[in-house]
Amino acid sequence: MANTSSFSSSPSTKFNFDEKPHVLAVDDNLIDRKVIERLFINSTCKVTTAENGKRALEYLGLADGQHPNHNDLKVNLIITDYSMPRMTGYELLKRIKESPTMKEIPVVVVSSENIPTRINQCMQGGAQEFLLKPLQLSDATKLRCHIKKPLQGGFAGEDDHA
């Protein structure tokens, strides 16, 4: 029997599944994951949660030995906590941005600590935003403009360089 406890999808997204933007929320704190989930469900998004960077990489197909297939996986935005055990949000950000198939997905890093060097590091590493916890409904509304709209065969913006 497969272990399905690693990821959680919001139950309120059973209808119009393919039409809703999909947000992946990564945080080691259950309460913070639930806050993100609630904020984005209220913004009519599908939300999948992962409790750490390793689980997020597995979900994205970027774990060691995996080969991502972004045609099957439609994640439009990734929100990750910075401070997590074993893999920081910055390390997760770097792995995502190094992937040719996932690098176009916007990544937002959140933290309860306002450390300018950490913020600069994440922004220079490719983060779309760096937000301070606790997240508010206004943050979810602000982030809606960063959500990638999937196109047939890829993500919006992938062919802009052609």
Side-chain angles (χ1 to χ4, degrees), residues 23 26-27 32 35-36 39-40 77-83 89 93 107-115 118-120 122-123 127-146:
V23 176
V26 187
D27 200 309
D32 288 334
V35 167
I36 294 170
L39 289 173
F40 281 92
L77 177 68
I78 299 168
I79 301 174
T80 182
D81 182 29
Y82 183 91
S83 298
L93 168 70
V107 178
V108 174
V109 180
V110 297
S111 179
S112 57
E113 301 170 312
N114 188 359
I115 302 173
R118 181 179 290 176
I119 295 168
N120 290 337
C122 290
M123 296 303 290
Q128 205 69 33
E129 294 275 349
F130 191 104
L131 299 174
L132 293 176
K133 291 180 182 180
L135 292 183
Q136 305 291 323
L137 185 57
S138 59
D139 294 319
T141 303
K142 175 183 176 181
L143 294 178
R144 295 268 313 167
C145 70
H146 295 302

Side-chain angles (χ1 to χ4, degrees), residues 12-122:
S12 64
T13 58
K14 290 185 178 162
F15 53 94
N16 296 331
F17 179 80
D18 292 330
E19 295 178 17
K20 291 186 175 191
H22 186 184
V23 176
L24 175 61
V26 187
D27 200 309
D28 60 316
N29 183 300
L30 176 62
I31 294 171
D32 288 334
R33 286 195 308 269
K34 291 293 183 188
V35 167
I36 294 170
E37 186 174 30
R38 177 68 54 137
L39 289 173
F40 281 92
I41 287 173
N42 288 343
S43 297
T44 65
C45 293
K46 174 188 182 327
V47 179
T48 301
T49 61
E51 71 269 13
N52 58 46
K54 181 181 179 211
R55 294 287 188 218
L57 290 175
E58 289 171 359
Y59 182 78
L60 294 169
L62 296 176
D64 294 335
Q66 285 184 303
H67 299 287
N69 183 355
H70 71 285
N71 291 329
D72 292 338
L73 181 66
K74 303 239 185 314
V75 173
N76 308 97
L77 177 68
I78 299 168
I79 301 174
T80 182
D81 182 29
Y82 183 91
S83 298
M84 295 184 290
R86 293 184 289 284
M87 177 183 285
T88 66
Y90 176 72
E91 292 165 330
L92 175 61
L93 168 70
K94 294 300 286 179
R95 290 283 300 270
I96 292 166
K97 294 304 176 182
E98 290 169 357
S99 166
T101 57
M102 298 287 166
K103 68 182 178 183
E104 296 298 324
I105 300 173
V107 178
V108 174
V109 180
V110 297
S111 179
S112 57
E113 301 170 312
N114 188 359
I115 302 173
T117 54
R118 181 179 290 176
I119 295 168
N120 290 337
Q121 177 189 44
C122 290

